[in-house]
Amino acid sequence: MTDTPTPTQDGSSRPARPPRPDAPLLSVKDLKVHFPIRRGLLQRVKGHVKAVDGVSFDLWPGETLGLVGESGCGKTTAGRALLRLIPATGGSVRFDGKDVLSARGGELRTLRRQMQIIFQDPGGSLNPRMRIGAIIGEPLRVHGMVKSRDELRERVGDLLVRCGMPKAAAERYPHEFSGGQRQRIGIARALALNPKFIVCDEPTSALDVSIQSSILNLLADLRDDFKLSYLFISHDMAVIQHICDRIAVMYKGRLVEYGTRDEVLDTPTHKYTQALLSAVPQADPTVKRKRVIYEGMAT
């Protein structure tokens, strides 16, 4: 089967996706993350903050699912919980048929190789005391994927070049690079273990607008080249529109809308989704659009 370009809403073209397999790569069912509220001298639990409260979605191989919502809605917490970076209160997460939340020992180690994350702050996620080569090479050494220093150096150099950085960057420190360059380094680190799935936790929100498009294009190219699946977390509907195949809209710990990219963008059914779309800036100053305000959302 040959890929034929299909038009997108913004006028660009995107290769047609191959037929969807029978089973999703990632299946999240009723995921909950509740944080206790402690008060008093004895710090007794008086209640819970329901950061994530019954979130369910599926992600297929080669697909990008956008998880969108305003700051504080629980989208980053959901992404980290399904990776076991923070404990989940309830629900289930299955990755490639394996139960992520109950995995232990060698099974969990294998899952961690296949599931990676790109953090929001490219500066804060890189150890300032380590050279770039050591940062990218660390997961390769920990998981025993290289047999010699020469092989490690070669793999790190190839990853840097693939992410738009020179091989010589391996000998420098994070503070010597711009925000966009540091994010490319973070992407190279996430690719080091040849994962199947990457959580992209607002990877462009800390970058200048002029740099955002190049990072998004890089992520799209890597997805197609390495057959990656992304959970792309963002509060920016314009960014979600550019890269995602399907969209899940999150509000106060719950999903309020879930569908294909065109369904959610063209015919949103929930008023919160309509409010998010109405807040997207228009390039044409002559276009007038009524702002939708949803009760309870930040303005």
Side-chain angles (χ1 to χ4, degrees), residues 182-193:
R182 286 197 291 261
Q183 193 59 286
R184 290 177 183 272
I185 293 165
I187 294 170
R189 178 178 58 184
L191 286 176
L193 298 177

Side-chain angles (χ1 to χ4, degrees), residues 89-206:
T89 305
S92 69
V93 178
R94 299 194 69 85
F95 178 81
D96 208 9
K98 300 178 179 64
D99 189 339
V100 176
L101 300 185
S102 65
R104 298 290 185 274
E107 185 180 20
L108 180 59
R109 185 182 178 90
T110 300
L111 286 171
R112 291 204 183 280
R113 284 178 53 178
Q114 298 173 344
M115 306 169 72
Q116 292 292 305
I117 184 170
I118 300 168
F119 293 98
Q120 177 179 0
D121 181 6
S125 64
L126 304 177
N127 189 331
R129 298 186 178 183
M130 293 175 65
R131 297 181 190 270
I132 300 305
I135 290 172
I136 298 175
E138 185 175 33
L140 293 169
R141 290 188 299 98
V142 169
H143 287 270
M145 297 184 67
V146 290
K147 297 179 180 179
S148 66
R149 288 187 177 182
D150 289 341
E151 183 182 0
L152 176 63
R153 189 179 303 110
E154 182 179 357
R155 288 284 298 275
V156 169
D158 290 344
L159 286 165
L160 284 169
V161 170
R162 184 61 188 86
C163 293
M165 297 291 292
K167 288 187 177 182
E171 300 303 320
R172 298 163 66 184
Y173 290 92
H175 73 269
E176 300 180 62
F177 298 96
S178 67
Q181 290 173 322
R182 286 197 291 261
Q183 193 59 286
R184 290 177 183 272
I185 293 165
I187 294 170
R189 178 178 58 184
L191 286 176
L193 298 177
N194 298 319
K196 295 180 180 179
F197 166 65
I198 298 178
V199 173
C200 302
D201 185 10
E202 304 212 39
T204 61
S205 65

Side-chain angles (χ1 to χ4, degrees), residues 27-56:
S27 182
V28 179
K29 303 295 183 187
D30 199 29
L31 181 65
K32 297 178 181 178
V33 183
H34 298 174
F35 296 107
I37 301 172
R38 299 181 182 274
R39 291 176 181 160
L41 184 63
L42 299 179
Q43 289 294 287
R44 290 176 176 167
V45 176
K46 299 296 184 181
H48 290 84
V49 175
K50 298 180 179 180
V52 180
D53 195 23
V55 166
S56 301

Side-chain angles (χ1 to χ4, degrees), residues 229-246:
S229 299
Y230 293 149
L231 176 64
F232 198 98
I233 298 170
S234 180
H235 65 273
D236 190 336
M237 271 293 194
V239 170
I240 290 292
Q241 174 182 343
H242 180 78
I243 196 171
C244 296
D245 302 301
R246 289 186 302 126

